[in-house]
Amino acid sequence: MARSSNEYYPVILDICSTFIRAGFAGDALPLVTIKSVDQNTQRASSSVPPYYDVSDASMTSEQHDMVISSLFSSSAVIKRVSEIYSKDHSNNPRQSKSISGNNLQVKLSDIFNNHLLISPSKTKIIVVDSCYSILEKSRISTILLSKIGVKSIIWVPEPLLHVIGANNTNGLVVNVRWDLLLLNTIIDLRILSHLEDVKNFNGSSLHYKIIEKLIELEDEDVNALLERNDLFDIIENFIANAVYVRPIDEKENDTRLFQISKGISIPNRLRYEVVESLFFGEDKISQVIVSTVKKSPIDVRPVLLENIIITGESSNIPGFKTRLIREVRNLVIGNATCKVTLGLWAGCSLYCSTTLVRQNEKVWKSQEITKEILKNSISHDGIRLTNIPDAFNSLYKNG
């Protein structure tokens, strides 16, 4: 049956530095997933992994270079892992945090022309807001509205979608992503707090700390492995298929070997020691979670503890969620429970099919960005940030 002229297709877009997913609202899975960044389109913004914490806005570029030089001269391991880190930034798209305008426009055009097979002018876009800045939202909105020609855009915060995907309205979302750790406390689909940790508790830190341990082995075969062009994929495959988290009370003297690549073996203990040291060592991710709960209003703390949603790539490591919840329970009085979520895509489809369609039109219209609204937000002086709808919770206020 053909749609009438005033009806529009609701399309979900999930845009990140690694991929773009697109599909129709209400579907359980995206229709298409494509790589968002071509290799060699981005360059490193830092020469050392973020967990070394050498960035300081108060330093001049000369002072920053002196700190880096001092680090390299004090440790050959730091110098070597930083060389690998810089190389990965230049060659691997996963290291890139943003998508160039021309590249994004080409990718989105391909999605509409060859996959969705609908006219952009007949679509209303629901974009997953993965903690974008207002400037980045303005850039992506400009491409969608002015270059691609969609009808309108609504940005929906990612942590809310994880809660909806857990069939809930409350939750403490612990998102252990590749580039950072995100913690959001959510009550009645309203974000009460937002915390970002970009230095330690993330997939990137785990990746390069494993490389550090391999460098420290000073093994001839392992050193040859570190020179290979496919090192990034080897380490990621190792994390995805071999790394695990031991139970909190397990102790053993492990002298076994593990084959990380054909003909190259490493100590088996590296399968669990690095992830344990990073996430469950002296600085514990559980302590960050408990600290976040304690900063919340006292009446919502039990609700948050009973609805902890752990997501993100690193959380899929076997034993990760069980160990994390057990450590949280050891630090608090009350029952800490991990809730299963279907993920942001299923959450977004549920949101569009339920919450959004039941809302007062005046409420969600106030968050809808059209070409006219975007035009009024931009002047010769720059972008009027307050003109771009951005309030996390205004979608959920009473109409």
Side-chain angles (χ1 to χ4, degrees), residues 29-48:
L29 297 171
L31 181 66
V32 57
T33 300
I34 64 173
K35 189 165 64 176
S36 62
V37 181
D38 296 321
Q39 287 195 340
N40 299 319
T41 59
Q42 303 288 330
R43 291 295 179 263
S45 58
S46 174
S47 57
V48 296

Side-chain angles (χ1 to χ4, degrees), residues 119-136:
S119 170
S121 63
K122 298 297 292 182
T123 61
K124 292 192 173 186
I125 308 296
I126 301 94
V127 188
V128 176
D129 181 3
S130 302
C131 303
Y132 286 110
S133 67
I134 305 293
L135 290 173
E136 191 73 357

Side-chain angles (χ1 to χ4, degrees), residues 27 63 92 100 122 219 267 273 359 364 366 393:
D27 291 350
Q63 291 171 327
N92 200 294
S100 62
K122 298 297 292 182
D219 180 272
E273 278 190 352
Q359 282 177 335
W364 66 262
S366 68
N393 298 316

